[in-house]
Amino acid sequence: MERYRVYPGQGALVVYVVDSWEHPLDLEAGLGGVGAAVVQIVDARWNQDLSPWVVPGLPGGAPFSGGAEAYLQGLIGQTIPRIEAQAGLGGRERAVAGYSLAGLFALYALTRTAFFSMAASVSGSLWYEGWLDYLAGAGVDARYVYLS
């Protein structure tokens, strides 16, 4: 069962922050004055759901299992439509955001679907093995991309 929290906001944008129950972000303190609705989705399994393909883990860590495509399809096919229906967020432009490996996932999502028109990758794991080669060959059609 997914877990999410909606931070209501005015405007025509909803920012979906992909998060993990293993590494949750404290968003509440930093959202003052944001002119968009923000939805924190806290259900991703870090190394499984946010990694685009299988690669060995970091030293002493679990391997990355490459489940990002399945997780993305679940988000855009089930989770987000359900959240939008329950919270009355339909008809707005969508952005996807994440920190670290979730930041990599946000960029990956832009290469796989037009469901999101913007992304923010905050301290994204752009070191991920094969990422730069993948990105060089992937098409990205987005209004905005934020990298930090």
Side-chain angles (χ1 to χ4, degrees):
M1 179 169 167
E2 78 263 3
R3 295 180 280 171
Y4 66 92
R5 182 162 187 188
V6 176
Y7 301 91
Q10 301 303 314
L13 177 64
V14 180
V15 179
Y16 290 94
V17 178
V18 175
D19 209 348
S20 159
W21 57 269
E22 297 156 301
H23 307 285
L25 299 171
D26 180 10
L27 292 184
E28 188 136 26
L31 288 178
V34 172
V38 176
V39 178
Q40 182 179 23
I41 301 174
V42 186
D43 71 345
R45 297 167 302 163
W46 199 249
N47 283 16
Q48 294 87 356
D49 294 332
L50 302 176
S51 57
W53 44 81
V54 176
V55 298
L58 297 175
F64 297 98
S65 62
E69 186 64 29
Y71 182 71
L72 175 61
Q73 294 309 313
L75 275 181
I76 66 177
Q78 298 170 347
T79 304
I80 290 175
R82 184 172 37 247
I83 291 169
E84 288 181 352
Q86 291 172 354
L89 297 174
R92 298 187 188 194
E93 191 169 15
R94 299 178 189 101
V96 60
Y99 171 78
S100 189
L101 197 57
L104 176 74
F105 174 83
L107 297 178
Y108 176 77
L110 282 186
T111 70
R112 303 298 298 160
T113 180
F115 189 82
F116 303 103
S117 61
M118 300 175 229
S121 177
V122 181
S123 195
S125 299
L126 305 185
W127 50 261
Y128 197 81
E129 186 177 318
W131 175 251
L132 293 179
D133 290 334
Y134 169 79
L135 190 58
V140 176
D141 183 19
R143 285 191 47 211
Y144 300 101
V145 176
Y146 174 82
L147 303 172
S148 74

